[in-house]
Amino acid sequence: MKIYPKLNIFLNILPPLERGMHPLLSRFVLAYGELYDEMEIFEGVEKFEICGDFTCALEENLIYKAKEALKVEFDEYSGYFESLSVEVKKNIPQGAGLGGGSANAGAFLCEMARRLDLSKESLQKIAPKIGSDVSFFVNEYESANVMGCGEVVNEFVENSHYTYEIFTPKIFCHTGKVYQAFDELLKNGEIQSVMKVDFLNLSSIELLSRFSPLELNDLFAPAMRVYLELASVRDELGEGWFFSGSGSSFFRVRGLG
């Protein structure tokens, strides 16, 4: 199966809650194009395994965490889950604002639901425990407004379908450091956190046509504060490119403008 990354058409970050999580408003879209992972799941191995070019330990892999969450929710299938071999051809880069790990976990959950006739509601319950972007992927929407801490996902029907061109520089953006910079800029009054509810009602093309990259993504300025070279990348790419998530990927719609 092909697994496409997500892009944030806009990303509105609000001040952190007491437990440190930042509520958000965002438009997520599946980035149909030339960049995708490929996954195959085989049955009948002696011990659960994940095969692919991953840099993290097995226990930190979101596919593994998805499997563990499924075992808790559906104990009767524990033996089946442990008999799986998950092979992933990784193309979506890490630390790039594309949700590659969450996309893999979401695809795994959805495939398990198809094989075992599990409900979508059960996946929606499990997904937030694995990662903040996983809820978007288990809903299998092409475009959605995402709120809360990523667990509220409402489908947004676009007027047209688009493909995207993505450029990812060789810069690994650490999400925690970017959010820390956001908090520091907010505390110092260098940026403001204003809820952009009106953005939820605009189509993705309207958003990209009417607003600048800095207006659309509240983490763009903090990311450039942490990773100074991002500003040079922005300048080299020129007009029409936007910043996804906490970075480091830039994107544009094919054929727009």
Side-chain angles (χ1 to χ4, degrees), residues 2 11 61 68 89 104 109 164 188 216 240 257:
K2 291 183 178 179
L11 179 57
N61 191 297
E68 290 295 297
K89 183 179 179 182
N104 292 162
L109 289 172
Y164 297 86
N188 296 336
L216 288 175

Side-chain angles (χ1 to χ4, degrees), residues 72 93 112 119 130 150 166 169 207 249-250:
V72 172
M112 292 300 99
S119 69
I130 302 165
I166 298 172
L207 289 163
S249 292
F250 293 80

